[in-house]
């Protein structure tokens, strides 16, 4: 018979569910910059700061946003295991969040649907179909982020956004160091991230479309003119996740909010992808915040709609890699 202390401790089968949910979270260049450590009924989310993208993400901001996405998946899975979650955020160190997962919770239908969406969610770097997203779905997707220090806003002034994205696209296309790094993280036929790899972005997931569908700009990515890019943005649904400042807690919250939104969209039969690449150009976020009258600093741009064709899956590390000895 299990004692009450054993009954609250996470069982190996529960840990496997949590690890799988975490591993499927989106991450910058599919770097999966996280590990987990289980202590009784607590799960520490640990940042793998050794994963570096000096050209795309010199400050490690996207790495922390990615950890936030993993946190949202972890919390969702814990609640579906009928555990109430409270999360604490150490101010510094490798442990970026600890989820206390105590038995005694009944997940609602929406939570279950988001959990089931974890395995289906993929980055959809393609055009969306012309089928409109219903008002009900738009409201639910916008509301799903629900993080105290994050605002998810539908951007206005899309002409300004189009012009700025066009500018960023041209800058990234012409940056050899950036392009070298992106190639190293694109699974093709060479390098340590070649096909069969456990991380990186598969060639098939990138496609050959232009912005905004092409999430990552490569040398050969077509650049539409600003007017056409603006027209394409107007045909999509966009949410910009903003925070007041740039603290680690805010980056985590932006990632968690975006991941929950993405799961809600997936649960409703929609597809989505995120853009952060342009936000890494020096001074870009501040100018964008001003021109789009955003309520804070943009951390992630999320686009969603009905898909025309399913997006290919991306690889993941073995679950054993998630759990340090
Ligand atoms: C913080 C963050 C930044 C990202 N930035 C971009 C981006 O700028 N462009 C893009 O196409 N995808 C971006 N992605 C999506 C990742 O490349 C994607 O999640 C990863 O390759 C795993 O693929 P999946 O989402 O299909 O599981 C980003 C994801 C995260 C979490």
């Amino acid at each position: 018979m299990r004692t009450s202390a054993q009954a609250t401790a996470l069982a190996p089968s529960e840990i496997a569910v949590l690890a799988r949910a975490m591993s499927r979270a989106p991450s910058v260049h599919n770097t999966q910059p996280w590990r987990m450590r289980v202590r009784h009924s607590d799960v520490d989310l640990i940042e793998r700061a050794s994963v570096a993208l000096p050209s795309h993400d010199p400050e490690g901001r996207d790495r922390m946003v990615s950890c936030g996405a993993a946190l949202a998946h972890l919390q969702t899975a814990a609640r579906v295991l009928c555990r109430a979650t409270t999360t604490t955020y150490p101010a510094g160190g490798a442990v970026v969040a600890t989820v206390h997962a105590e038995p005694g919770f009944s997940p609602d239908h929406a939570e279950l649907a988001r959990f089931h969406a974890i395995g289906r969610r993929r980055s959809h770097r393609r055009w969306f179909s012309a089928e409109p997203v219903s008002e009900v779905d738009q409201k639910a997707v916008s509301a799903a982020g629900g993080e105290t220090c994050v605002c998810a806003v539908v951007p206005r002034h899309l002409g300004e956004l189009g012009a700025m994205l066009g500018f960023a696209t041209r800058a990234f296309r012409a940056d050899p160091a950036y392009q070298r790094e992106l190639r190293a993280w694109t699974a093709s036929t060479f390098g340590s991230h070649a096909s069969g790899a456990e991380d990186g972005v598969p060639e098939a997931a990138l496609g050959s479309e232009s912005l905004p569908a092409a999430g990552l700009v490569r040398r050969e990515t077509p650049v539409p003119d600003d007017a056409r890019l603006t027209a394409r943005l107007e045909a999509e649904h966009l949410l910009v996740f903003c925070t007041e400042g740039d603290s680690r807690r805010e980056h985590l919250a932006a990632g968690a909010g975006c991941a929950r939104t993405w799961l809600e969209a997936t649960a409703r039969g929609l597809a989505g992808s995120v853009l952060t690449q342009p936000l890494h150009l020096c001074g870009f976020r501040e100018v964008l915040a001003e021109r789009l009258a955003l309520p804070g600093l943009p951390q992630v741009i999320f686009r969603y709609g009905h898909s025309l064709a399913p997006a290919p899956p991306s690889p993941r590390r073995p679950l054993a890699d998630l759990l340090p000895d």
Side-chain angles (χ1 to χ4, degrees):
M1 187 193 287
R2 294 183 94 199
T3 63
S4 67
Q6 282 170 330
T8 46
L10 284 157
S13 56
E14 291 179 298
I15 295 169
V17 171
L18 299 178
R20 186 171 299 278
M22 234 175 97
S23 100
R24 290 310 315 171
S27 63
V28 56
H29 287 16
N30 198 19
T31 48
Q32 306 156 59
W34 51 65
R35 291 191 201 289
M36 66 190 278
R37 180 174 58 204
V38 180
R39 296 175 289 112
H40 194 71
S41 56
D42 290 350
V43 185
D44 293 327
L45 173 61
I46 302 167
E47 177 193 21
R48 287 171 61 229
S50 57
V51 176
L53 296 170
S55 290
H56 179 97
D57 187 28
E59 290 127 23
R61 192 172 71 222
D62 274 11
R63 190 171 58 227
M64 196 54 69
V65 174
S66 303
C67 285
L71 176 63
H73 278 217
L74 178 60
Q75 291 164 329
T76 302
R79 286 197 280 268
V80 166
L81 292 170
C82 298
R83 288 179 174 262
T85 58
T86 46
T87 305
T88 50
Y89 299 90
V95 176
V96 296
T98 299
V99 177
H100 310 277
E102 298 289 334
F105 180 77
S106 293
D108 62 16
H109 175 76
E111 197 99 52
L112 286 165
R114 281 201 285 271
F115 175 75
H116 286 297
I118 285 177
R120 299 198 310 275
R121 186 214 53 81
R122 289 170 185 180
S123 288
H124 186 275
R125 298 182 191 88
R126 286 147 198 241
W127 305 123
F128 297 116
S129 81
E131 183 185 345
V133 176
S134 73
E135 295 265 328
V136 172
D137 284 349
Q138 286 183 51
K139 273 202 186 115
V141 169
S142 296
E147 286 282 329
T148 42
C149 49
V150 184
C151 245
V153 291
V154 178
R156 291 173 290 131
H157 314 302
L158 293 181
E160 298 279 4
L161 180 60
M164 287 194 67
L165 290 184
F167 171 77
T169 306
R170 288 183 282 274
F172 282 115
R173 268 187 12 156
D175 180 341
Y178 183 90
Q179 290 301 329
R180 254 195 313 277
E181 183 179 276
L182 182 55
R183 261 201 317 279
W185 281 93
T186 305
S188 54
T189 50
F190 63 93
S192 56
H193 303 287
S195 47
E198 296 160 351
D199 56 14
V201 184
E203 181 72 36
L206 282 174
S208 57
E209 274 133 354
S210 66
L211 274 181
L216 290 163
V217 170
R218 299 189 284 175
R219 217 184 282 286
E220 62 278 12
T221 303
V223 189
D225 61 46
D226 291 355
R228 187 175 302 185
L229 180 49
T230 302
R232 287 179 176 163
L233 290 169
E234 281 164 352
E236 302 208 332
H237 292 279
L238 299 171
L239 283 172
V240 184
F241 289 82
C242 303
T243 59
E244 195 182 324
D246 249 340
S247 66
R248 148 167 149 162
R249 174 76 184 85
E250 287 165 308
H251 294 157
L252 277 173
C258 180
R260 225 169 272 128
T261 300
W262 203 340
L263 291 179
E264 182 67 34
T266 309
R268 289 172 177 271
L270 301 166
S273 70
V274 299
L275 299 174
T276 63
Q277 188 189 45
L279 306 179
H280 290 283
L281 271 190
C282 187
F284 189 94
R285 292 185 306 155
E286 289 75 6
V287 176
L288 193 68
E290 197 184 310
R291 295 203 182 157
L292 267 57
L294 297 173
L297 278 176
Q299 303 290 357
V300 182
I301 301 171
F302 177 63
R303 55 185 283 275
Y304 68 97
H306 287 282
S307 72
L308 282 164
S314 55
R316 290 296 187 273
R317 294 208 173 82
L319 292 188
D321 275 17
L322 271 180
L323 291 150
D325 302 327

